[in-house]
Amino acid sequence: MAISLPIEFEFGDDLAVVGKPHLPYEGQSIVTGTYKFPYDHLAGQKLFAAIKGCPHAHCKVTSIDTSAAEALEGVKAVITYKDNPQYDTEEILVWGWEVAAVAATDPFIAERALDLIEVEYEVLPFIIDPNEAMEPGAPLVGTFPDSNVTANPSRNTRGDIEAGFAEADVTIEIETGFLNSHTQNTIEPVTGIAWWEGDHVYGYDQNQNPHGSNRTYAAQLGVNQSRCHIRATSGAGGFGGGGQTNEPVLCGILSKMTGMPVAISRTRRLHSIRRRNHYSCNGWVKMGCKNDGTMTAMQIKWYSRGGFNAARGNGWEDVDCTYILPNVEQETYGIATNTGFGAGHR
């Protein structure tokens, strides 16, 4: 036999969190400029990294010469895309993608060294408009071998969509075009730092998924996960694009070459390319309703403006949790363009 007991609870003065106003612990230090972002650690004991980005939206690297940069006083290490497992590819799909990087004793020396790296490119056709990318016979962005659209959509269904529309007294169809994307311009641009102590690597980055990213960092740096100690520290929320930019991998590679901590802070311009930005969808919706307002069916096709990685949004949760729908069918396609990371389709 179940016994029901009355539950009585009142907020007491002795409670420190429940029932009390709560502000993030780092809020005051952020607004007063005293918060330590990843780039702020080990000041005076670190080298400064800088990245040479590609000047074309779509191209192939045909040759690269780093000898002049290596000879510049103050430069401690130079690497190319071939040395970094994150972007070991000759074909570049977006402006600003990394082709080389340096570590130097001063950030201005590092920037000067980038100018001395000579790179030759084979420029390829590019597309930045998703509508153009979807056209038959459009030039290939380079993400897929024979199209700019994902071959198979992500698909969710429930019930019988045809039967649902047959029950409807009113059917409505609407299509919306693509909107402009908006970028993850957080308080600080993308930063990171890494250093080695024996065969263990340590560091800091901005991240909303520290455990998952630490596994990735360990794999890319070639160490066991138990020897990878890169921690998240940041003053900004994720909102679909927080972290996962892998700056500690670049810093870790340069640190291993130099034997010193290496830090990097991207420019705002490169930050917008490397961060996972919010891209929009072109949506087609068909909805069936009865005269009393009851929804009987909804059919949806979304074409996500997905950047060079052709990311596609998953709106199933929005549909599933917002409406009482016995019959629904949703398909989502990713559209590849020669623009920055696509993610966080809100």
Side-chain angles (χ1 to χ4, degrees), residues 19-52:
K20 306 290 183 181
H22 178 64
L23 295 175
Y25 74 93
E26 71 272 24
Q28 182 175 353
S29 61
I30 290 172
V31 299
T32 57
T34 58
Y35 188 82
K36 292 188 74 172
F37 296 110
Y39 191 71
D40 300 320
H41 288 270
L42 296 177
Q45 305 174 43
K46 64 190 179 189
L47 298 176
F48 299 87
I51 291 169
K52 188 175 184 68

PDB file of all heavy atoms in Angstrom, residues 19-52:
ATOM      1  N   GLY A  19      17.125  29.421  -3.553  1.00  0.00           N
ATOM      2  CA  GLY A  19      16.306  30.540  -3.140  1.00  0.00           C
ATOM      3  C   GLY A  19      17.038  31.858  -3.050  1.00  0.00           C
ATOM      4  O   GLY A  19      16.473  32.859  -2.591  1.00  0.00           O
ATOM      5  N   LYS A  20      18.300  31.879  -3.480  1.00  0.00           N
ATOM      6  CA  LYS A  20      19.111  33.096  -3.410  1.00  0.00           C
ATOM      7  C   LYS A  20      19.475  33.575  -4.812  1.00  0.00           C
ATOM      8  O   LYS A  20      19.630  32.767  -5.731  1.00  0.00           O
ATOM      9  CB  LYS A  20      20.409  32.842  -2.638  1.00  0.00           C
ATOM     10  CG  LYS A  20      20.222  32.238  -1.250  1.00  0.00           C
ATOM     11  CD  LYS A  20      19.612  33.236  -0.288  1.00  0.00           C
ATOM     12  CE  LYS A  20      19.516  32.630   1.112  1.00  0.00           C
ATOM     13  NZ  LYS A  20      18.901  33.561   2.070  1.00  0.00           N
ATOM     14  N   PRO A  21      19.624  34.885  -5.005  1.00  0.00           N
ATOM     15  CA  PRO A  21      20.150  35.370  -6.297  1.00  0.00           C
ATOM     16  C   PRO A  21      21.552  34.818  -6.521  1.00  0.00           C
ATOM     17  O   PRO A  21      22.354  34.715  -5.582  1.00  0.00           O
ATOM     18  CB  PRO A  21      20.182  36.892  -6.116  1.00  0.00           C
ATOM     19  CG  PRO A  21      19.281  37.173  -4.967  1.00  0.00           C
ATOM     20  CD  PRO A  21      19.339  35.972  -4.075  1.00  0.00           C
ATOM     21  N   HIS A  22      21.826  34.425  -7.752  1.00  0.00           N
ATOM     22  CA  HIS A  22      23.135  33.825  -8.024  1.00  0.00           C
ATOM     23  C   HIS A  22      23.707  34.400  -9.307  1.00  0.00           C
ATOM     24  O   HIS A  22      23.070  34.355 -10.362  1.00  0.00           O
ATOM     25  CB  HIS A  22      23.026  32.305  -8.153  1.00  0.00           C
ATOM     26  CG  HIS A  22      24.315  31.631  -8.482  1.00  0.00           C
ATOM     27  ND1 HIS A  22      25.395  31.631  -7.637  1.00  0.00           N
ATOM     28  CD2 HIS A  22      24.706  30.949  -9.584  1.00  0.00           C
ATOM     29  CE1 HIS A  22      26.400  30.973  -8.202  1.00  0.00           C
ATOM     30  NE2 HIS A  22      25.997  30.556  -9.383  1.00  0.00           N
ATOM     31  N   LEU A  23      24.890  34.960  -9.230  1.00  0.00           N
ATOM     32  CA  LEU A  23      25.595  35.478 -10.397  1.00  0.00           C
ATOM     33  C   LEU A  23      26.794  34.583 -10.689  1.00  0.00           C
ATOM     34  O   LEU A  23      27.402  34.046  -9.755  1.00  0.00           O
ATOM     35  CB  LEU A  23      26.073  36.908 -10.139  1.00  0.00           C
ATOM     36  CG  LEU A  23      24.966  37.950  -9.942  1.00  0.00           C
ATOM     37  CD1 LEU A  23      25.585  39.299  -9.576  1.00  0.00           C
ATOM     38  CD2 LEU A  23      24.110  38.082 -11.185  1.00  0.00           C
ATOM     39  N   PRO A  24      27.158  34.411 -11.957  1.00  0.00           N
ATOM     40  CA  PRO A  24      28.353  33.612 -12.272  1.00  0.00           C
ATOM     41  C   PRO A  24      29.573  34.154 -11.538  1.00  0.00           C
ATOM     42  O   PRO A  24      29.765  35.370 -11.453  1.00  0.00           O
ATOM     43  CB  PRO A  24      28.490  33.776 -13.792  1.00  0.00           C
ATOM     44  CG  PRO A  24      27.116  34.136 -14.268  1.00  0.00           C
ATOM     45  CD  PRO A  24      26.500  34.935 -13.167  1.00  0.00           C
ATOM     46  N   TYR A  25      30.380  33.256 -11.027  1.00  0.00           N
ATOM     47  CA  TYR A  25      31.509  33.677 -10.202  1.00  0.00           C
ATOM     48  C   TYR A  25      32.481  34.551 -10.966  1.00  0.00           C
ATOM     49  O   TYR A  25      33.152  35.408 -10.388  1.00  0.00           O
ATOM     50  CB  TYR A  25      32.244  32.453  -9.655  1.00  0.00           C
ATOM     51  CG  TYR A  25      33.079  31.729 -10.682  1.00  0.00           C
ATOM     52  CD1 TYR A  25      34.421  32.035 -10.846  1.00  0.00           C
ATOM     53  CD2 TYR A  25      32.529  30.751 -11.505  1.00  0.00           C
ATOM     54  CE1 TYR A  25      35.200  31.384 -11.803  1.00  0.00           C
ATOM     55  CE2 TYR A  25      33.280  30.108 -12.461  1.00  0.00           C
ATOM     56  CZ  TYR A  25      34.613  30.418 -12.595  1.00  0.00           C
ATOM     57  OH  TYR A  25      35.380  29.777 -13.550  1.00  0.00           O
ATOM     58  N   GLU A  26      32.551  34.370 -12.300  1.00  0.00           N
ATOM     59  CA  GLU A  26      33.543  35.116 -13.067  1.00  0.00           C
ATOM     60  C   GLU A  26      33.022  36.461 -13.555  1.00  0.00           C
ATOM     61  O   GLU A  26      33.760  37.247 -14.152  1.00  0.00           O
ATOM     62  CB  GLU A  26      34.019  34.292 -14.266  1.00  0.00           C
ATOM     63  CG  GLU A  26      33.006  34.123 -15.394  1.00  0.00           C
ATOM     64  CD  GLU A  26      32.111  32.921 -15.202  1.00  0.00           C
ATOM     65  OE1 GLU A  26      31.949  32.485 -14.049  1.00  0.00           O
ATOM     66  OE2 GLU A  26      31.574  32.413 -16.199  1.00  0.00           O
ATOM     67  N   GLY A  27      31.731  36.756 -13.312  1.00  0.00           N
ATOM     68  CA  GLY A  27      31.136  37.962 -13.874  1.00  0.00           C
ATOM     69  C   GLY A  27      31.855  39.239 -13.484  1.00  0.00           C
ATOM     70  O   GLY A  27      32.147  40.089 -14.333  1.00  0.00           O
ATOM     71  N   GLN A  28      32.146  39.410 -12.199  1.00  0.00           N
ATOM     72  CA  GLN A  28      32.782  40.644 -11.753  1.00  0.00           C
ATOM     73  C   GLN A  28      34.174  40.802 -12.346  1.00  0.00           C
ATOM     74  O   GLN A  28      34.565  41.892 -12.779  1.00  0.00           O
ATOM     75  CB  GLN A  28      32.860  40.680 -10.225  1.00  0.00           C
ATOM     76  CG  GLN A  28      33.475  41.974  -9.683  1.00  0.00           C
ATOM     77  CD  GLN A  28      33.443  42.038  -8.172  1.00  0.00           C
ATOM     78  OE1 GLN A  28      32.848  41.193  -7.519  1.00  0.00           O
ATOM     79  NE2 GLN A  28      34.074  43.041  -7.597  1.00  0.00           N
ATOM     80  N   SER A  29      34.938  39.696 -12.402  1.00  0.00           N
ATOM     81  CA  SER A  29      36.295  39.788 -12.934  1.00  0.00           C
ATOM     82  C   SER A  29      36.297  40.086 -14.434  1.00  0.00           C
ATOM     83  O   SER A  29      37.205  40.740 -14.939  1.00  0.00           O
ATOM     84  CB  SER A  29      37.071  38.493 -12.653  1.00  0.00           C
ATOM     85  OG  SER A  29      36.438  37.383 -13.268  1.00  0.00           O
ATOM     86  N   ILE A  30      35.263  39.652 -15.131  1.00  0.00           N
ATOM     87  CA  ILE A  30      35.192  39.934 -16.572  1.00  0.00           C
ATOM     88  C   ILE A  30      34.974  41.423 -16.810  1.00  0.00           C
ATOM     89  O   ILE A  30      35.677  42.052 -17.596  1.00  0.00           O
ATOM     90  CB  ILE A  30      34.076  39.103 -17.228  1.00  0.00           C
ATOM     91  CG1 ILE A  30      34.455  37.629 -17.256  1.00  0.00           C
ATOM     92  CG2 ILE A  30      33.810  39.588 -18.653  1.00  0.00           C
ATOM     93  CD1 ILE A  30      33.339  36.720 -17.699  1.00  0.00           C
ATOM     94  N   VAL A  31      33.994  41.995 -16.114  1.00  0.00           N
ATOM     95  CA  VAL A  31      33.676  43.401 -16.353  1.00  0.00           C
ATOM     96  C   VAL A  31      34.752  44.337 -15.807  1.00  0.00           C
ATOM     97  O   VAL A  31      34.866  45.485 -16.242  1.00  0.00           O
ATOM     98  CB  VAL A  31      32.299  43.772 -15.769  1.00  0.00           C
ATOM     99  CG1 VAL A  31      31.206  42.958 -16.430  1.00  0.00           C
ATOM    100  CG2 VAL A  31      32.265  43.592 -14.265  1.00  0.00           C
ATOM    101  N   THR A  32      35.565  43.860 -14.864  1.00  0.00           N
ATOM    102  CA  THR A  32      36.649  44.700 -14.344  1.00  0.00           C
ATOM    103  C   THR A  32      37.975  44.438 -15.047  1.00  0.00           C
ATOM    104  O   THR A  32      38.983  45.065 -14.730  1.00  0.00           O
ATOM    105  CB  THR A  32      36.828  44.472 -12.837  1.00  0.00           C
ATOM    106  OG1 THR A  32      37.079  43.074 -12.588  1.00  0.00           O
ATOM    107  CG2 THR A  32      35.586  44.912 -12.071  1.00  0.00           C
ATOM    108  N   GLY A  33      37.973  43.489 -16.008  1.00  0.00           N
ATOM    109  CA  GLY A  33      39.184  43.233 -16.782  1.00  0.00           C
ATOM    110  C   GLY A  33      40.245  42.433 -16.076  1.00  0.00           C
ATOM    111  O   GLY A  33      41.417  42.462 -16.462  1.00  0.00           O
ATOM    112  N   THR A  34      39.888  41.699 -15.041  1.00  0.00           N
ATOM    113  CA  THR A  34      40.883  40.920 -14.291  1.00  0.00           C
ATOM    114  C   THR A  34      40.763  39.420 -14.532  1.00  0.00           C
ATOM    115  O   THR A  34      41.574  38.656 -14.014  1.00  0.00           O
ATOM    116  CB  THR A  34      40.740  41.189 -12.783  1.00  0.00           C
ATOM    117  OG1 THR A  34      39.402  40.848 -12.359  1.00  0.00           O
ATOM    118  CG2 THR A  34      40.996  42.664 -12.481  1.00  0.00           C
ATOM    119  N   TYR A  35      39.777  38.989 -15.295  1.00  0.00           N
ATOM    120  CA  TYR A  35      39.602  37.561 -15.561  1.00  0.00           C
ATOM    121  C   TYR A  35      40.753  37.047 -16.423  1.00  0.00           C
ATOM    122  O   TYR A  35      41.218  37.731 -17.337  1.00  0.00           O
ATOM    123  CB  TYR A  35      38.276  37.328 -16.286  1.00  0.00           C
ATOM    124  CG  TYR A  35      37.923  35.870 -16.442  1.00  0.00           C
ATOM    125  CD1 TYR A  35      37.321  35.171 -15.409  1.00  0.00           C
ATOM    126  CD2 TYR A  35      38.177  35.201 -17.635  1.00  0.00           C
ATOM    127  CE1 TYR A  35      36.986  33.839 -15.553  1.00  0.00           C
ATOM    128  CE2 TYR A  35      37.846  33.870 -17.781  1.00  0.00           C
ATOM    129  CZ  TYR A  35      37.250  33.194 -16.742  1.00  0.00           C
ATOM    130  OH  TYR A  35      36.928  31.871 -16.883  1.00  0.00           O
ATOM    131  N   LYS A  36      41.236  35.841 -16.122  1.00  0.00           N
ATOM    132  CA  LYS A  36      42.327  35.253 -16.891  1.00  0.00           C
ATOM    133  C   LYS A  36      41.766  34.336 -17.966  1.00  0.00           C
ATOM    134  O   LYS A  36      41.272  33.246 -17.688  1.00  0.00           O
ATOM    135  CB  LYS A  36      43.283  34.479 -15.974  1.00  0.00           C
ATOM    136  CG  LYS A  36      44.072  35.364 -15.020  1.00  0.00           C
ATOM    137  CD  LYS A  36      45.133  34.569 -14.273  1.00  0.00           C
ATOM    138  CE  LYS A  36      46.291  34.229 -15.179  1.00  0.00           C
ATOM    139  NZ  LYS A  36      47.425  33.630 -14.443  1.00  0.00           N
ATOM    140  N   PHE A  37      41.829  34.812 -19.220  1.00  0.00           N
ATOM    141  CA  PHE A  37      41.483  33.979 -20.354  1.00  0.00           C
ATOM    142  C   PHE A  37      42.675  33.078 -20.679  1.00  0.00           C
ATOM    143  O   PHE A  37      43.768  33.263 -20.138  1.00  0.00           O
ATOM    144  CB  PHE A  37      41.119  34.861 -21.549  1.00  0.00           C
ATOM    145  CG  PHE A  37      39.886  35.694 -21.323  1.00  0.00           C
ATOM    146  CD1 PHE A  37      39.973  37.074 -21.173  1.00  0.00           C
ATOM    147  CD2 PHE A  37      38.643  35.098 -21.250  1.00  0.00           C
ATOM    148  CE1 PHE A  37      38.836  37.844 -20.964  1.00  0.00           C
ATOM    149  CE2 PHE A  37      37.492  35.858 -21.043  1.00  0.00           C
ATOM    150  CZ  PHE A  37      37.601  37.231 -20.897  1.00  0.00           C
ATOM    151  N   PRO A  38      42.489  32.086 -21.556  1.00  0.00           N
ATOM    152  CA  PRO A  38      43.615  31.183 -21.847  1.00  0.00           C
ATOM    153  C   PRO A  38      44.901  31.903 -22.242  1.00  0.00           C
ATOM    154  O   PRO A  38      45.988  31.524 -21.817  1.00  0.00           O
ATOM    155  CB  PRO A  38      43.062  30.342 -23.007  1.00  0.00           C
ATOM    156  CG  PRO A  38      41.591  30.310 -22.773  1.00  0.00           C
ATOM    157  CD  PRO A  38      41.246  31.660 -22.220  1.00  0.00           C
ATOM    158  N   TYR A  39      44.773  32.959 -23.026  1.00  0.00           N
ATOM    159  CA  TYR A  39      45.942  33.678 -23.536  1.00  0.00           C
ATOM    160  C   TYR A  39      46.703  34.399 -22.434  1.00  0.00           C
ATOM    161  O   TYR A  39      47.874  34.737 -22.596  1.00  0.00           O
ATOM    162  CB  TYR A  39      45.464  34.688 -24.579  1.00  0.00           C
ATOM    163  CG  TYR A  39      46.557  35.331 -25.408  1.00  0.00           C
ATOM    164  CD1 TYR A  39      47.245  34.599 -26.355  1.00  0.00           C
ATOM    165  CD2 TYR A  39      46.872  36.680 -25.252  1.00  0.00           C
ATOM    166  CE1 TYR A  39      48.223  35.180 -27.139  1.00  0.00           C
ATOM    167  CE2 TYR A  39      47.843  37.277 -26.027  1.00  0.00           C
ATOM    168  CZ  TYR A  39      48.520  36.525 -26.971  1.00  0.00           C
ATOM    169  OH  TYR A  39      49.484  37.111 -27.748  1.00  0.00           O
ATOM    170  N   ASP A  40      46.049  34.629 -21.290  1.00  0.00           N
ATOM    171  CA  ASP A  40      46.670  35.402 -20.209  1.00  0.00           C
ATOM    172  C   ASP A  40      47.569  34.577 -19.303  1.00  0.00           C
ATOM    173  O   ASP A  40      48.283  35.133 -18.464  1.00  0.00           O
ATOM    174  CB  ASP A  40      45.584  36.072 -19.355  1.00  0.00           C
ATOM    175  CG  ASP A  40      44.733  37.023 -20.166  1.00  0.00           C
ATOM    176  OD1 ASP A  40      45.302  37.738 -21.010  1.00  0.00           O
ATOM    177  OD2 ASP A  40      43.506  37.049 -19.960  1.00  0.00           O
ATOM    178  N   HIS A  41      47.542  33.271 -19.429  1.00  0.00           N
ATOM    179  CA  HIS A  41      48.331  32.420 -18.535  1.00  0.00           C
ATOM    180  C   HIS A  41      49.815  32.435 -18.917  1.00  0.00           C
ATOM    181  O   HIS A  41      50.178  32.572 -20.093  1.00  0.00           O
ATOM    182  CB  HIS A  41      47.805  30.982 -18.561  1.00  0.00           C
ATOM    183  CG  HIS A  41      46.485  30.830 -17.871  1.00  0.00           C
ATOM    184  ND1 HIS A  41      46.376  30.534 -16.541  1.00  0.00           N
ATOM    185  CD2 HIS A  41      45.219  30.956 -18.331  1.00  0.00           C
ATOM    186  CE1 HIS A  41      45.103  30.467 -16.206  1.00  0.00           C
ATOM    187  NE2 HIS A  41      44.382  30.717 -17.282  1.00  0.00           N
ATOM    188  N   LEU A  42      50.659  32.295 -17.916  1.00  0.00           N
ATOM    189  CA  LEU A  42      52.117  32.224 -18.082  1.00  0.00           C
ATOM    190  C   LEU A  42      52.660  33.436 -18.828  1.00  0.00           C
ATOM    191  O   LEU A  42      53.492  33.315 -19.726  1.00  0.00           O
ATOM    192  CB  LEU A  42      52.514  30.926 -18.806  1.00  0.00           C
ATOM    193  CG  LEU A  42      52.188  29.624 -18.060  1.00  0.00           C
ATOM    194  CD1 LEU A  42      52.546  28.430 -18.908  1.00  0.00           C
ATOM    195  CD2 LEU A  42      52.889  29.567 -16.721  1.00  0.00           C
ATOM    196  N   ALA A  43      52.186  34.603 -18.467  1.00  0.00           N
ATOM    197  CA  ALA A  43      52.684  35.827 -19.089  1.00  0.00           C
ATOM    198  C   ALA A  43      54.175  35.975 -18.805  1.00  0.00           C
ATOM    199  O   ALA A  43      54.638  35.776 -17.687  1.00  0.00           O
ATOM    200  CB  ALA A  43      51.918  37.040 -18.560  1.00  0.00           C
ATOM    201  N   GLY A  44      54.925  36.346 -19.826  1.00  0.00           N
ATOM    202  CA  GLY A  44      56.364  36.534 -19.661  1.00  0.00           C
ATOM    203  C   GLY A  44      57.178  35.264 -19.754  1.00  0.00           C
ATOM    204  O   GLY A  44      58.409  35.310 -19.748  1.00  0.00           O
ATOM    205  N   GLN A  45      56.505  34.110 -19.815  1.00  0.00           N
ATOM    206  CA  GLN A  45      57.227  32.838 -19.894  1.00  0.00           C
ATOM    207  C   GLN A  45      56.829  32.036 -21.134  1.00  0.00           C
ATOM    208  O   GLN A  45      57.095  30.846 -21.206  1.00  0.00           O
ATOM    209  CB  GLN A  45      56.932  32.001 -18.647  1.00  0.00           C
ATOM    210  CG  GLN A  45      57.218  32.700 -17.332  1.00  0.00           C
ATOM    211  CD  GLN A  45      56.767  31.853 -16.158  1.00  0.00           C
ATOM    212  OE1 GLN A  45      56.973  30.644 -16.126  1.00  0.00           O
ATOM    213  NE2 GLN A  45      56.135  32.482 -15.187  1.00  0.00           N
ATOM    214  N   LYS A  46      56.180  32.678 -22.067  1.00  0.00           N
ATOM    215  CA  LYS A  46      55.616  31.928 -23.186  1.00  0.00           C
ATOM    216  C   LYS A  46      56.062  32.521 -24.520  1.00  0.00           C
ATOM    217  O   LYS A  46      56.538  33.657 -24.605  1.00  0.00           O
ATOM    218  CB  LYS A  46      54.093  31.954 -23.104  1.00  0.00           C
ATOM    219  CG  LYS A  46      53.503  33.359 -23.255  1.00  0.00           C
ATOM    220  CD  LYS A  46      52.013  33.383 -22.920  1.00  0.00           C
ATOM    221  CE  LYS A  46      51.461  34.805 -23.052  1.00  0.00           C
ATOM    222  NZ  LYS A  46      50.095  34.907 -22.538  1.00  0.00           N
ATOM    223  N   LEU A  47      55.886  31.708 -25.561  1.00  0.00           N
ATOM    224  CA  LEU A  47      56.055  32.184 -26.932  1.00  0.00           C
ATOM    225  C   LEU A  47      54.682  32.530 -27.504  1.00  0.00           C
ATOM    226  O   LEU A  47      53.649  32.078 -26.994  1.00  0.00           O
ATOM    227  CB  LEU A  47      56.719  31.105 -27.789  1.00  0.00           C
ATOM    228  CG  LEU A  47      58.127  30.677 -27.369  1.00  0.00           C
ATOM    229  CD1 LEU A  47      58.611  29.529 -28.241  1.00  0.00           C
ATOM    230  CD2 LEU A  47      59.098  31.853 -27.418  1.00  0.00           C
ATOM    231  N   PHE A  48      54.697  33.317 -28.568  1.00  0.00           N
ATOM    232  CA  PHE A  48      53.451  33.789 -29.164  1.00  0.00           C
ATOM    233  C   PHE A  48      53.303  33.193 -30.563  1.00  0.00           C
ATOM    234  O   PHE A  48      54.207  33.302 -31.392  1.00  0.00           O
ATOM    235  CB  PHE A  48      53.454  35.312 -29.238  1.00  0.00           C
ATOM    236  CG  PHE A  48      53.572  35.967 -27.891  1.00  0.00           C
ATOM    237  CD1 PHE A  48      54.823  36.214 -27.335  1.00  0.00           C
ATOM    238  CD2 PHE A  48      52.443  36.313 -27.173  1.00  0.00           C
ATOM    239  CE1 PHE A  48      54.943  36.809 -26.089  1.00  0.00           C
ATOM    240  CE2 PHE A  48      52.552  36.905 -25.926  1.00  0.00           C
ATOM    241  CZ  PHE A  48      53.799  37.159 -25.381  1.00  0.00           C
ATOM    242  N   ALA A  49      52.164  32.578 -30.798  1.00  0.00           N
ATOM    243  CA  ALA A  49      51.900  31.955 -32.095  1.00  0.00           C
ATOM    244  C   ALA A  49      51.056  32.876 -32.963  1.00  0.00           C
ATOM    245  O   ALA A  49      50.272  33.683 -32.465  1.00  0.00           O
ATOM    246  CB  ALA A  49      51.190  30.618 -31.913  1.00  0.00           C
ATOM    247  N   ALA A  50      51.239  32.746 -34.254  1.00  0.00           N
ATOM    248  CA  ALA A  50      50.421  33.463 -35.230  1.00  0.00           C
ATOM    249  C   ALA A  50      50.193  32.545 -36.421  1.00  0.00           C
ATOM    250  O   ALA A  50      51.024  31.678 -36.720  1.00  0.00           O
ATOM    251  CB  ALA A  50      51.093  34.765 -35.666  1.00  0.00           C
ATOM    252  N   ILE A  51      49.064  32.733 -37.087  1.00  0.00           N
ATOM    253  CA  ILE A  51      48.638  31.845 -38.165  1.00  0.00           C
ATOM    254  C   ILE A  51      48.614  32.599 -39.489  1.00  0.00           C
ATOM    255  O   ILE A  51      48.118  33.721 -39.565  1.00  0.00           O
ATOM    256  CB  ILE A  51      47.244  31.277 -37.871  1.00  0.00           C
ATOM    257  CG1 ILE A  51      47.301  30.309 -36.691  1.00  0.00           C
ATOM    258  CG2 ILE A  51      46.659  30.588 -39.092  1.00  0.00           C
ATOM    259  CD1 ILE A  51      45.941  29.904 -36.182  1.00  0.00           C
ATOM    260  N   LYS A  52      49.149  31.966 -40.520  1.00  0.00           N
ATOM    261  CA  LYS A  52      49.027  32.503 -41.874  1.00  0.00           C
ATOM    262  C   LYS A  52      47.805  31.872 -42.513  1.00  0.00           C
ATOM    263  O   LYS A  52      47.753  30.663 -42.740  1.00  0.00           O
ATOM    264  CB  LYS A  52      50.272  32.195 -42.707  1.00  0.00           C
ATOM    265  CG  LYS A  52      50.264  32.902 -44.076  1.00  0.00           C
ATOM    266  CD  LYS A  52      51.555  32.677 -44.813  1.00  0.00           C
ATOM    267  CE  LYS A  52      51.605  33.456 -46.127  1.00  0.00           C
ATOM    268  NZ  LYS A  52      51.679  34.912 -45.907  1.00  0.00           N
TER     269      LYS A  52
END
